[in-house]
Structures are given as C-alpha cells and as structure tokens.
Amino acid sequence: METKLRTILVGDIHGCIEEFDELLKKLSYNKATDRLILLGDLIDRGPDSVAAVARAREMDLECVMGNHEHKFIKWYRNAGSRNDVFDRRPHYTQFSDDDINYIHRMDSLIKIPDHKLVVVHAGLRSGIPLANQSNDDLYYIRYMDDKKKFISLKKINNLGSKEAAGAHFWTEYWYGPENVVYGHNVHSFSDPLIEEVRPDVKCYGLDTGCCFGGNLTAMILETKEIVQVPAKRAYYESKFEVR
C-alpha cells in the first residue's frame, strides 16, 4: 500500500448516505493523500443502504465486515430456501452484482502495523492470536461475563441493566499489544469512547449512533482528531444504553 498522509476511520454508516457525503466534504477527503477505512455496518436501519454500499464501492474504500453485512450474506446464500433468514430487508434484493461482490470481499479485520493497530467491526477476544479470532467475535461481540462467555443485548435489556446481567464490555479484558479501532456498539450519541485499557494500549469506539439520531464520526489516525456530522434525524429506535 502506498504511503498516505492521513488514515481516516469512519464509524457505522447504516445507510445514512447524506451524512456520509457531508462527512467526506468536512474531511476534505482526497483519495491521492488519504486512506479511508470504514468500520462496517454500511447497511440497514438508515434511509439508503444501497447508496451507501455503492458509494463505498465506487470510491474503492476499504471496509471491515459488520454484523449487518454478515446477516445479508447469510440471507443471500439461503435466499428462496427453507433456511431463508427471517428478518431480510427490502433492500437485500436491490444490491447490484458489483455491490454484492464488494460486500463479500470485505475484510474481517485490517492491520495497520505502523500504528500497532487493528481495525475491526465489533471487537476482539483477549488471549487469542489475531489469525485465530472467530468471525462471531469480530462481527458481533460486545459483552461477556466474568468467565468471558458471551452475553447478548437481549439478556441485558431483559434484566434491565449491564450490572444486573453481570456484563463486562470486551475492552475490559483486552490486554493488547495492539490498539483497536471498532464500531458496532453505541456508547454515546455525541462522543466516541476512547479508553486506555492498558499502558500504551488504547481502544477507540467510533460508533456514535448516526442512524439513531446521533452523529457520524471519523477519526484521523495520525492526529487522533475527531470529525463529526450530526444525523439529519433519527431513522431507527435505539435499544442501547447511552449517555
């Protein structure tokens, strides 16, 4: 990969194409000098999933696969069969062949060695080499119990709080040595969550819930500058505990 002046990481777009276009303008994005990486979940919830994928594909942007792209692929492989995914969305049948190929080619994770950093959609499980991380964790992980067993949002919502469910966010267990940039979980509608989880090891959660009426967030890796645009409106009801 040729050397770029800036590495830009963008949180979950979820079909919010107007906000994404506005963010690109605010960043003064230039393909010749910038490397832009999307954190997955380009689709679902927002107003135009097809346009979001087409824009990313036409711009030849790097993107890690999110759980929503993974759900789409499961539907695509089983479309019309008895195993057809029950929650398929109307836009699933509107993607072009080029769009579908773009989604299939998304990486599970992207390494940026110069910054000792890994880009994923959801998260990582501590104590497991990057090459052996499961796709279920890379695409879906949020919370674990004291024994590091997966805890679902459904369980947390049913019990009323993370504390009641004994839930710990995956970053609590992350020892590095890699820094991590991820999306997937909305900690706040306004501010990305930046945690120094161990000395010289940071985790950056950039999903600020644009589709829920929050913000679409980008981070310029070299300077750690945060650039945001507000959502035009709330497109989808949030089930996240946010501040």
Side-chain angles (χ1 to χ4, degrees):
M1 169 109 29
E2 61 181 304
T3 301
K4 303 283 188 177
L5 297 178
R6 298 192 302 176
T7 306
I8 302 169
L9 302 133
V10 176
D12 304 30
I13 295 171
H14 276 303
C16 298
I17 188 63
E18 289 187 55
E19 290 85 349
F20 182 45
D21 287 342
E22 187 176 328
L23 183 62
L24 292 172
K25 290 179 181 177
K26 192 169 184 178
L27 287 161
S28 299
Y29 171 72
N30 183 337
K31 185 177 182 179
T33 57
D34 297 328
R35 179 184 183 185
L36 200 156
I37 302 173
L38 307 177
L39 300 185
D41 278 6
L42 303 186
I43 67 173
D44 300 343
R45 294 181 172 168
D48 202 335
S49 296
V50 175
V53 173
R55 181 80 79 253
R57 173 180 56 77
E58 290 161 0
M59 294 175 66
D60 195 26
L61 299 179
E62 298 173 77
C63 183
V64 292
M65 184 170 292
N67 57 300
H68 284 264
E69 285 83 23
H70 186 239
K71 290 176 183 177
F72 164 75
I73 287 175
K74 288 196 291 184
W75 170 81
Y76 182 77
R77 289 173 177 168
N78 291 286
S81 75
R82 292 170 62 184
N83 295 319
D84 204 335
V85 175
F86 71 92
D87 63 346
R88 62 181 174 186
R89 315 298 168 85
H91 52 263
Y92 280 9
T93 59
Q94 297 168 14
F95 292 118
S96 70
D97 288 344
D98 287 339
D99 293 336
I100 294 169
N101 288 334
Y102 176 79
I103 292 171
H104 273 90
R105 293 197 306 270
M106 288 178 178
D107 295 304
S108 295
L109 60 82
I110 295 173
K111 301 176 188 176
I112 306 180
D114 290 349
H115 293 269
K116 200 173 67 174
L117 185 138
V118 178
V119 181
V120 296
H121 174 65
L124 297 162
R125 193 175 287 271
S126 63
I128 298 175
L130 293 180
N132 296 335
Q133 295 280 335
S134 74
N135 285 340
D136 280 347
D137 287 337
L138 294 172
Y139 304 156
Y140 292 94
I141 196 170
R142 285 192 180 96
Y143 295 100
M144 294 180 278
D145 63 17
D146 292 332
K147 297 181 180 179
K148 298 185 181 181
K149 292 184 178 180
F150 179 87
I151 295 179
S152 69
L153 272 183
K154 182 177 180 180
K155 180 177 181 179
I156 292 171
N157 291 333
N158 286 342
L159 293 176
S161 71
K162 291 177 284 190
E163 291 74 21
H168 301 270
F169 199 66
W170 68 267
T171 57
E172 292 186 41
Y173 297 113
W174 184 248
Y175 291 89
E178 298 87 0
N179 302 292
V180 185
V181 176
Y182 65 96
H184 188 52
N185 193 79
V186 182
H187 300 282
S188 165
F189 290 150
S190 56
D191 302 309
L193 181 64
I194 301 174
E195 305 172 281
E196 187 169 20
V197 295
R198 299 291 181 271
D200 298 321
V201 178
K202 289 188 175 182
C203 293
Y204 303 84
L206 299 188
D207 185 3
T208 46
C210 185
C211 65
F212 304 125
N215 285 272
L216 185 60
T217 295
M219 182 176 75
I220 300 171
L221 183 56
E222 287 73 16
T223 63
K224 306 303 186 293
E225 178 185 358
I226 299 297
V227 181
Q228 295 180 306
V229 298
K232 305 296 181 186
R233 63 181 178 86
Y235 304 101
Y236 196 85
E237 183 181 356
S238 173
K239 296 180 180 179
F240 290 90
E241 292 183 38
V242 295
R243 61 178 186 274

